[in-house]
Amino acid sequence: MWWAAPVSGPSRAGACRGRARPGRAGSGRPRCRHTRNARRDAQLRSGVFLAADAHPLLIFTSTRVRQTGADGFDVTGDLTVRGVTRQVTLDVELTDAGHGPQGTFRAAFRGRTALDREDWDVSGVRGVVGRKVTLEFDVTAIRRS
């Protein structure tokens, strides 16, 4: 039963890359999540979960950043899923920083937070899928001059 275990998968490159917006916002596309199981991917994108046709973007806009250690940060902001916006705090770690092959400065971050999917009207399949979801992500920020 696939729903009883953690599900992860890569985001596909190209048009599926998230984009930073003015005001420290980032977005991702639900259609770009791939769990290596076509049936499960279709259900995650359906109206039962992410409703990717009606809501093509997941959006996070940071409102506050607090350093918690040498490489750690709590990033608080507004997460919009399925048109519903709620405040969340992400536990973020700086994993790498430096200049890339083209000379641009890049910083890599890894983060996570636990969510109650029902706070965003993601119903799922009651009794089969748990309410708590751990959102994990890897992000590379590239400084543009």
Side-chain angles (χ1 to χ4, degrees), residues 61-82:
T61 305
S62 64
T63 57
R64 184 179 56 151
V65 177
R66 182 176 67 89
Q67 191 160 0
T68 59
D71 296 325
F73 302 87
D74 282 343
V75 180
T76 300
D78 297 322
L79 176 64
T80 302
V81 178
R82 291 178 56 121

Side-chain angles (χ1 to χ4, degrees), residues 2-82:
W2 62 263
W3 54 82
V7 175
S8 64
S11 180
R12 300 284 165 97
C16 295
R17 289 186 181 134
R19 300 210 184 258
R21 306 255 192 265
R24 300 169 303 208
S27 63
R29 299 179 190 280
R31 288 211 162 278
C32 297
R33 301 304 315 152
H34 298 275
T35 66
R36 300 175 186 93
N37 180 311
R39 187 172 143 229
R40 176 176 47 222
D41 292 346
Q43 189 172 29
L44 287 171
R45 293 178 190 125
S46 76
V48 174
F49 288 97
L50 296 176
D53 287 337
H55 305 283
L57 292 176
L58 307 174
I59 301 169
F60 177 77
T61 305
S62 64
T63 57
R64 184 179 56 151
V65 177
R66 182 176 67 89
Q67 191 160 0
T68 59
D71 296 325
F73 302 87
D74 282 343
V75 180
T76 300
D78 297 322
L79 176 64
T80 302
V81 178
R82 291 178 56 121

Side-chain angles (χ1 to χ4, degrees), residues 51-128:
D53 287 337
H55 305 283
L57 292 176
L58 307 174
I59 301 169
F60 177 77
T61 305
S62 64
T63 57
R64 184 179 56 151
V65 177
R66 182 176 67 89
Q67 191 160 0
T68 59
D71 296 325
F73 302 87
D74 282 343
V75 180
T76 300
D78 297 322
L79 176 64
T80 302
V81 178
R82 291 178 56 121
V84 177
T85 302
R86 301 269 187 260
Q87 186 178 76
V88 299
T89 298
L90 310 175
D91 178 20
V92 177
E93 174 190 8
L94 174 67
T95 58
D96 193 23
H99 288 83
Q102 290 83 26
T104 55
F105 184 79
R106 298 168 180 250
F109 301 90
R110 174 168 289 145
R112 70 181 314 167
T113 191
L115 307 173
D116 182 336
R117 62 181 171 72
E118 291 184 359
D119 288 346
W120 282 270
D121 297 331
V122 178
S123 61
V125 181
R126 294 198 188 280
V128 177

